[in-house]
Amino acid sequence: MDSWTDTLRFAFQPVVNLTTGGVAGLEILARPETGDVLAEARRDPELDGRLAVSAFRAAARKETLLPLYVNVFAGTLADLGGLTPLHDAVRAAGRLPWEVTIDVGPPYTHVPQHALLEAIGSLREQGFRISADGVGDGDVPLRLLTDMAPDLLKLDASMLTRPAAVRAMRTLCDELASLLCIEGVETELQCASAQSAGAQLAQGELFAPPARLPAAEVYVPPRSPGPAVTPRSGPSVLEFVRPAALLPATASAGQVRALLTGSPDVSGVLLVDPDGVPVRSVHRSRFLLSMSGRYGHALYADRPAAKLGDPPRTVGVDATAWEVLDVVAVGGRDRTSDDVAVVDRYGRCVGVVRLADLVRALAETRVEEAAGLNPLTRLPGSDAITGEVDRRIADGRTFALSWLDVDHFKQVNDGAGFAAGDELIRSVGRALQHAASGSTRVGHIGGDDFLVLADPEGLSPLAASVLDAPWSAGGRPVTLSLATVLCEPGSVTDHRQAAACLAPLKKAAKSLSGASWVLGRAGLSGHEILRGAAAEPARAEWAVADPGKG
């Protein structure tokens, strides 16, 4: 036995799911009592490979069912071409490779990239999941990061002071079907920043420090209110994934009972084939009820547990929360509380989703959305639109941001009454909603002011539908003004700058008579008049005091 093993101990730090508040896995950290074995391992791939095996075995001895994260240097993988001894150790312990994530860490400088990618491909074929560690504070090239297409990307908490970079990483993760994890979180403010940036996972001293025993509980601050970074079709199922309790399809009922009675937090067991594909789902309550009945143990203990299971309910890793609800809705009511297995493109189980987590999160999302709606038009306010503007900027998309309002609106209220003014605003809001299509977003930011965010090609039909319509209030004609700024990639850095570009265009549109529309481009002076004419000095027909537009 090598001497370094005599003074080496391991600690476990939880990786926390920021949506469910549960522990998604445990990172195994080497803690040498003397010397610096990690520095030696950085220079010695064989030693680093043995460290990975030792780390896994240390976790296996703790009998934890949680997924594990094992650290390996990028240079080790490139030099060894894989981790066959670790694969053998995982199988010998009765665990499955897809329950283990390889944390590939820096340095990457001078590491042969082709050899590294081949090794990662080999690990994936064996079933291991891949994490890119040390992003933001390390030296991983962006091109290599995209070629790796990791299942998990770990971003250093220091990057939270650069929110645009974090949003860009979240966008990259969405493209790669990866999860974003913020590591090194120490304060509640950092946690809130991680949540608002769209990170699904996090780890750090705030939640739980590294400990000799796997943590059973962690502290997760309450989620702060604010716009969530989720696709319009619904949050990804990956945000709700919990570790799955897996046993071979050949497991006996006695083995399942032992697992359930020893793990009170496990709501069910998935029986999987040798490739990790779920074949039966065993629900905790129904199973234990059968086993505890008269003669239940005698009848079932030595029989295959599959006889007490049901066909598994599964969704792919690219599913949304709403699609999971569709899966739950199919079948008998007695199975609505069953876990839904989340499977990768090979059909292998990567975790489970609980219905309670989905319902709670989706209900909170609806409450937050409702709180942000304008009570008059039921359209979202400025936060929803500006948040989407920032996401499109981070995505490098060209977009058109428009400000629309009613001409002489103060005079409308003074001349026709507030009820007529309110009905006019509701009508304009309905027309904008009806005209919006595809990725167009409409917001009502108060009074007679509306924001419209659209792709450039979708703006002209919408503008025509609202500007050509005959508007009136109290029987008197009304016109609308529209100002648009076209923002190309790199022309603005955030929604504040886009709004600043829009302000003078709004003023220009208001200076025109009749229904008006002016178009400008961010970063360029001047504008085009697409509709309207120079205003005449005469007062508007029903202006009470102010001849200008309101």
Side-chain angles (χ1 to χ4, degrees), residues 13 27 154-158 160 181-187 190-191 202-207:
Q13 185 168 45
E27 182 175 356
K154 286 190 173 182
L155 190 65
D156 190 84
S158 62
L160 292 173
C181 176
I182 306 297
E183 57 181 349
V185 175
E186 298 180 349
T187 67
Q190 287 180 322
C191 181
Q203 62 185 123
E205 295 279 343
L206 175 66
F207 311 108

Side-chain angles (χ1 to χ4, degrees), residues 299-334:
L299 285 172
Y300 298 116
D302 296 325
R303 299 182 66 186
K307 293 185 176 295
L308 295 175
D310 298 288
R313 290 173 165 176
T314 61
V315 295
V317 292
D318 56 350
T320 67
W322 295 110
E323 290 172 304
V324 177
L325 293 184
D326 291 339
V327 170
V328 173
V330 177
R333 293 185 178 181
D334 60 328

Side-chain angles (χ1 to χ4, degrees), residues 332-411:
R333 293 185 178 181
D334 60 328
R335 295 199 61 194
T336 54
S337 62
D338 286 18
D339 293 341
V340 176
V342 181
V343 297
D344 63 15
R345 60 194 180 99
Y346 301 106
R348 302 178 307 209
C349 179
V350 299
V352 295
V353 174
R354 295 181 182 176
L355 178 62
D357 290 337
L358 291 184
V359 172
R360 181 170 56 252
L362 293 175
E364 289 173 353
T365 299
R366 286 291 179 260
V367 169
E368 289 180 3
E369 288 177 354
L373 297 180
N374 187 286
L376 185 61
T377 60
R378 307 306 294 168
L379 288 171
S382 60
D383 284 348
I385 303 301
T386 56
E388 180 63 21
V389 167
D390 285 337
R391 285 191 282 277
R392 296 193 187 192
I393 292 172
D395 291 346
R397 295 171 57 182
T398 298
F399 62 89
L401 181 63
S402 301
W403 189 311
L404 180 137
D405 69 352
V406 178
D407 297 334
H408 309 292
F409 185 64
K410 183 179 185 301
Q411 285 74 27

Side-chain angles (χ1 to χ4, degrees), residues 518-534:
V518 300
L519 172 71
R521 295 176 180 271
L524 299 178
S525 60
H527 60 268
E528 296 179 66
I529 298 177
L530 302 181
R531 287 175 184 253

Side-chain angles (χ1 to χ4, degrees), residues 23-106:
V23 178
L26 295 171
E27 182 175 356
I28 314 166
L29 303 170
R31 291 290 187 263
E33 295 181 0
T34 61
D36 192 352
V37 70
L38 293 179
E40 296 178 37
R42 188 180 293 114
R43 298 187 297 267
D44 185 347
E46 293 287 348
L47 174 58
D48 192 33
R50 295 199 298 273
L51 267 178
V53 173
S54 296
F56 171 78
R57 286 175 175 164
R61 287 194 293 269
K62 303 297 182 182
E63 298 182 350
T64 175
L65 294 175
L66 289 168
L68 302 172
Y69 293 75
V70 178
N71 292 290
V72 179
F73 291 113
T76 295
L77 294 182
D79 189 85
L80 299 182
L83 295 170
T84 300
L86 178 61
H87 183 262
D88 294 341
V90 170
R91 288 295 192 181
R95 298 295 294 263
L96 299 170
W98 36 95
E99 297 178 90
V100 178
T101 298
I102 307 298
D103 262 356
V104 185

Side-chain angles (χ1 to χ4, degrees), residues 256-332:
V256 172
R257 183 176 184 275
L259 189 156
L260 291 176
T261 55
S263 307
D265 293 334
V266 173
S267 55
V269 176
L270 287 172
L271 305 179
V272 296
D273 68 12
D275 293 323
V277 177
V279 293
R280 301 293 282 179
S281 173
V282 179
H283 185 269
R284 180 187 186 91
S285 297
R286 294 197 298 273
F287 175 83
L288 292 179
L289 185 62
S290 298
M291 290 291 288
S292 62
R294 191 176 185 183
Y295 309 122
H297 188 271
L299 285 172
Y300 298 116
D302 296 325
R303 299 182 66 186
K307 293 185 176 295
L308 295 175
D310 298 288
R313 290 173 165 176
T314 61
V315 295
V317 292
D318 56 350
T320 67
W322 295 110
E323 290 172 304
V324 177
L325 293 184
D326 291 339
V327 170
V328 173
V330 177

